[in-house]
Amino acid sequence: MAASLSNSDVPVSEIHHLYPAFTLPSHKKFTASLSLSTQNQNCSSLSISSDARKPIICKVLSETNSSLSSAFTELGRERIPIDDDGEDEEMETRQPKEPEGEIAGVWREIHGENDWVGLFDPMDPLLRSELIRYGEMAQACYDAFDFDPFSKYCGSCRYPRSKFFESLEMAHLGYNVSRYLFATANINLPNFFKKSRWPKMWSKNANWAGYVAVSDDETSRKLGRRDITIAWRGTVTRLEWIADLKDFLTPISSHRIPCPDPTVKAEAGFLDLYTEKDVDCRYCMYSAREQILSETKRLLEIYSGEEVSITITGHSLGSALAILSAYDIVETGLNSQNDNRPVPVSVFSFSGPRVGNVKLKERLEWLGVKVLRVVDVHDIVPKSPGLLFNERVPPMVLKLAEGLPWCYSHVGVELELDHKNSPFLKPTADPVCAHNLEAHLHLLDGYHGKGRRFVLASGRDPALVNKGCDFLKDHYMVPPNWRQDANKGMIRSKDGRWMQPDRSRLDDHPQDMHRHLTQLGLP
């Protein structure tokens, strides 16, 4: 089976635009034809001709099913001999590099100590790298979630805690999952939850909602601190969950979250998801809030003698939970160390909705919670709720309307991206594509500042964009929605019959959880 682009010439100016690793002398006009063969791991050929019609053939080793992007990535690792006007000269292409410098010395600034002033334009390479890393940790919530209604484990995580990152080929991150998070289905956000069609299920009232992970010793040395990361899952349906929002602000204190100001409010559905529990369910006998607070307290006790950070990430509805949990951790004083130095708490939010009113925004700022929101200007989710009254209306209008139950305000600092700037992505009006997390990470990789050329900085594979949508231009030959489970998860038993394999039992709650909750004054 062979895939080819042999009939379409691609201007090398466009190739360089997409891949800075590929460079050619500027005084010639070149076109390139790429032919990819995926049979027997043959070499792919990149044929380049100048206006003098002197061909230059570069052999690039390609693996089976290699894509256009991987071919160019391999090309970036070669030195290409060039015969120009009878003289041989050698041109070295540039391989994408890791960001220069080390995060250990500047991590506080990268995590918002100065509200990211001066880090967006031009885009700071360390900040870009950190955003992509935490975005991938949020994406892991989707990749690990079993949302197949024909699976008897629908609504659970596919992998055991001890093999979570390894199973997702993310062991290089250097984090270990310390616990899973669960939420109850007995709330008014049904599209957040998935249930199996089979009567025998792992749980009737719970869904896996994310995880808490901690950097290992080696990674902590590189980061300059022990990093506790909380990653929240968003919805895996399209965008129906927006219709489920009550779009009604309610006081945070009414949900048993401590707050000295009763005018601090958040969207009612988000608060329900964060605080509700089901005492008859082994996974949801504690609310998501109680799970977060107890685990954070436990980890801070373990690493009390170290430099520690708390980083919370999430996409879509998960970013709303990230902001609520960050507020809760700081408002309860959980991030205060023995020497009275607060543990920095920051949120990296992707494509998140508005969470609460302007009082919540002001309270978060006063508490020192740092929030960086990454959005696509064409995404409808960050524009809701609060379509009429929000932070974009004149301050006087916002002041007059702030008492209304549907007057919302975004929090933190916004990094605005535009998918129309990426030459990899097709023009589409599909709102799902503009909301896709992998597309956001692709845009981050190519973003260098407002009005600057879109150039992939790390060489992150654009094919990842199409894991769960149809957003890449067709000539890259990456099929839409390509991430699938082999045989829909079915395997052959010893007697040759096809069946759903059993999974190891998911951990529910640590034995010492009640002790930590009691110390926090929670029932």
Side-chain angles (χ1 to χ4, degrees):
M1 178 180 178
S4 69
L5 289 176
S6 56
N7 294 327
S8 62
D9 285 346
V10 183
V12 169
S13 59
E14 179 178 345
I15 296 172
H16 178 67
H17 181 71
L18 306 184
Y19 288 88
F22 186 80
T23 56
L24 286 173
S26 58
H27 64 284
K28 292 289 185 179
K29 294 181 180 179
F30 292 87
T31 59
S33 297
L34 179 70
S35 178
L36 294 175
S37 174
T38 59
Q39 284 184 335
N40 302 322
Q41 296 187 353
N42 291 331
C43 287
S44 299
S45 297
L46 178 66
S47 177
I48 308 172
S49 300
S50 69
D51 50 6
R53 317 305 292 177
K54 295 182 179 180
I56 304 166
I57 306 298
C58 306
K59 292 294 184 180
V60 182
L61 182 63
S62 65
E63 296 181 355
T64 304
N65 296 325
S66 64
S67 64
L68 177 62
S69 61
S70 63
F72 280 147
T73 301
E74 290 299 321
L75 178 61
R77 299 174 184 170
E78 302 295 330
R79 294 179 65 85
I80 306 175
I82 296 180
D83 183 6
D84 188 16
D85 297 329
E87 297 182 1
D88 289 338
E89 61 177 299
E90 194 175 58
M91 176 194 66
E92 182 174 4
T93 60
R94 292 177 289 119
Q95 182 179 352
K97 298 179 180 179
E98 291 295 321
E100 295 182 2
E102 296 182 356
I103 187 69
V106 295
W107 70 267
R108 289 181 178 272
E109 182 181 0
I110 295 299
H111 281 243
E113 183 178 51
N114 299 317
D115 295 318
W116 297 282
V117 173
L119 298 184
F120 294 163
D121 195 9
M123 185 67 180
D124 183 271
L126 282 174
L127 176 58
R128 179 196 294 109
S129 178
E130 284 287 274
L131 283 172
I132 291 176
R133 186 165 65 89
Y134 286 109
E136 288 176 342
M137 294 178 81
Q139 177 65 40
C141 292
Y142 293 119
D143 295 342
F145 184 59
D146 187 344
F147 57 92
D148 182 1
F150 294 102
S151 167
K152 61 184 179 181
Y153 298 103
C154 181
S156 72
C157 181
R158 300 176 186 272
Y159 313 114
R161 206 165 36 86
S162 60
K163 297 183 179 179
F164 181 81
F165 288 118
E166 177 186 348
S167 301
L168 293 169
E169 299 182 357
M170 297 174 66
H172 63 278
L173 289 181
Y175 281 72
N176 297 309
V177 175
S178 67
R179 76 158 298 161
Y180 281 160
L181 304 173
F182 301 93
T184 177
N186 300 325
I187 62 166
N188 294 317
L189 282 174
N191 280 304
F192 182 78
F193 295 91
K194 290 293 182 178
K195 289 188 176 182
S196 173
R197 295 191 180 186
W198 311 127
K200 184 180 180 181
M201 301 184 295
W202 71 283
S203 175
K204 293 182 179 180
N205 300 315
N207 258 201
W208 182 72
Y211 62 91
V212 181
V214 186
S215 56
D216 60 27
D217 292 344
E218 181 181 354
T219 301
S220 296
R221 284 192 293 270
K222 294 178 181 178
L223 297 178
R225 84 281 185 191
R226 183 78 60 175
D227 185 42
I228 299 171
T229 295
I230 302 168
W232 287 103
R233 176 179 66 82
T235 51
V236 291
T237 54
R238 291 181 175 263
L239 296 178
E240 297 93 336
W241 68 271
I242 298 178
D244 295 330
L245 293 179
K246 296 177 182 178
D247 196 9
F248 191 85
L249 290 164
T250 185
I252 283 181
S253 56
S254 67
H255 284 67
R256 299 182 299 277
I257 299 176
C259 182
D261 185 353
T263 64
V264 175
K265 299 179 181 181
E267 199 277 329
F270 300 156
L271 287 171
D272 287 345
L273 182 57
Y274 183 60
T275 60
E276 290 298 312
K277 58 185 175 181
D278 185 345
V279 295
D280 297 322
C281 174
R282 61 171 295 184
Y283 296 100
C284 293
M285 61 187 299
Y286 297 106
S287 67
R289 176 185 183 236
E290 291 171 331
Q291 296 168 49
I292 284 293
L293 294 182
S294 61
E295 183 64 10
T296 302
K297 185 178 187 303
R298 186 183 75 86
L299 293 174
L300 288 175
E301 287 180 359
I302 294 175
Y303 302 110
S304 60
E306 301 184 23
E307 188 84 12
V308 181
S309 66
I310 299 174
T311 311
I312 312 177
T313 186
H315 169 257
S316 188
L317 182 55
S319 72
L321 294 172
I323 290 173
L324 284 178
S325 50
Y327 164 80
D328 199 9
I329 288 171
V330 180
E331 186 71 90
T332 57
L334 192 57
N335 68 320
S336 296
Q337 294 179 313
N338 295 332
D339 57 3
N340 293 324
R341 286 189 306 124
V343 173
V345 177
S346 55
V347 176
F348 290 133
S349 157
F350 297 86
S351 190
R354 296 185 180 96
V355 179
N357 62 358
V358 68
K359 293 294 186 179
L360 175 62
K361 170 184 178 294
E362 292 171 353
R363 186 67 183 171
L364 279 163
E365 292 173 350
W366 187 85
L367 291 169
V369 177
K370 302 300 181 179
V371 180
L372 175 53
R373 296 180 296 102
V374 180
V375 302
D376 182 342
V377 295
H378 305 287
D379 186 6
I380 63 173
V381 172
K383 297 178 174 63
S384 61
L387 295 175
L388 295 178
F389 298 106
N390 54 64
E391 73 285 345
R392 296 184 181 274
V393 302
M396 182 61 70
V397 176
L398 186 63
K399 185 68 176 178
L400 293 173
E402 70 177 22
L404 298 175
W406 50 84
C407 180
Y408 287 77
S409 177
H410 267 307
V411 302
V413 179
E414 182 175 272
L415 174 56
E416 193 175 75
L417 307 174
D418 186 344
H419 68 247
K420 291 185 178 181
N421 292 333
S422 170
F424 289 89
L425 305 180
K426 64 176 68 172
T428 176
D430 186 353
V432 177
C433 291
H435 189 59
N436 183 272
L437 177 53
E438 284 287 2
H440 280 68
L441 301 183
H442 165 73
L443 294 177
L444 275 172
D445 196 20
Y447 180 78
H448 294 266
K450 290 185 178 180
R452 298 173 186 264
R453 194 164 54 117
F454 186 97
V455 177
L456 294 180
S458 69
R460 194 171 190 275
D461 193 350
L464 295 170
V465 171
N466 267 19
K467 279 165 61 175
C469 66
D470 184 9
F471 207 0
L472 281 179
K473 291 180 178 177
D474 291 340
H475 64 253
Y476 293 113
M477 296 180 294
V478 178
N481 302 292
W482 57 260
R483 190 179 189 276
Q484 305 287 332
D485 289 330
N487 300 318
K488 294 190 175 181
M490 297 287 283
I491 64 169
R492 280 188 184 274
S493 63
K494 292 182 179 179
D495 59 1
R497 294 182 180 273
W498 288 94
M499 59 174 289
Q500 288 194 40
D502 291 328
R503 294 180 189 166
S504 58
R505 187 175 180 177
L506 288 177
D507 298 333
D508 45 19
H509 305 293
Q511 294 182 352
D512 60 350
M513 183 171 176
H514 182 71
R515 175 175 66 85
H516 291 295
L517 291 176
T518 302
Q519 293 174 350
L520 288 168
L522 298 177

